[in-house]
Amino acid sequence: MPWKQSSAITEAEKVTTYQTVAGRVDALLEDESDWVAAMATVVCELHQAFEYYDWTGFYRTIGEELVIGPYQGTHGCLRIAFGRGVCGTAAAQRATQVVPDVDAFPGHIACSSTTRSEIVVPVLSRDGDVMGVLDIDSNRPAAFDTVDQQFLERLCTDLGRRYG
Ligand code: SME
């Protein structure tokens, strides 16, 4: 597969790339029981696969805050309160946030001035606790659609069942 998809990625290429990433993640994590190792591996695989991913990382729930976990990209905010920004909203509402234009999202936390759009998916444990969120930011407007959402939600559901 073309590693790091080119900017003009089609929906079909997107699906194929996500399927390839899913296969690689499954194989890499087959015998891995450690949650940090799993997050680091997922972030690496996703970030390398798509050119429109400019910041890819997990925030972990610690108390009533999200604290930075494994990521790739420039510096992310270290702590985000539940309910704040896109990440805090996803955690508080326990629901994926797809933001095509970050400037139109009230309270968006601009850790990088180049970010134009993002998707944040919560990771729920088997008991239904929010273990954290997967945050992906793009320097392109409206970079994420339902294909991204479906794949990333499936991935986070699997991670929550396995490591939660
Ligand atoms: N996009 C996030 C902030 C986190 S960092 O920029 C990586 C938000 O508004 O929640």
Side-chain angles (χ1 to χ4, degrees), residues 26-46:
D26 281 351
L28 287 161
L29 297 184
E30 194 179 355
D31 297 319
E32 185 51 65
S33 59
D34 183 77
W35 174 221
V36 175
M39 287 189 285
T41 301
V42 166
V43 162
C44 173
E45 289 298 321
L46 284 172

Side-chain angles (χ1 to χ4, degrees), residues 24-107:
R24 289 172 61 95
V25 166
D26 281 351
L28 287 161
L29 297 184
E30 194 179 355
D31 297 319
E32 185 51 65
S33 59
D34 183 77
W35 174 221
V36 175
M39 287 189 285
T41 301
V42 166
V43 162
C44 173
E45 289 298 321
L46 284 172
H47 195 77
Q48 298 298 317
F50 295 101
E51 208 174 56
Y52 61 93
Y53 278 41
D54 290 295
W55 193 96
T56 310
F58 283 94
Y59 281 89
R60 302 156 300 131
T61 302
I62 298 185
E64 288 300 303
E65 274 186 324
L66 295 168
V67 182
I68 194 82
Y71 69 94
Q72 296 205 8
T74 54
H75 274 292
C77 307
L78 271 63
R79 289 173 183 265
I80 299 173
F82 265 50
R84 276 200 64 225
V86 184
C87 291
T89 301
Q93 296 184 2
R94 309 157 63 83
T96 300
Q97 307 294 308
V98 181
V99 181
D101 174 6
V102 294
D103 293 332
F105 189 96

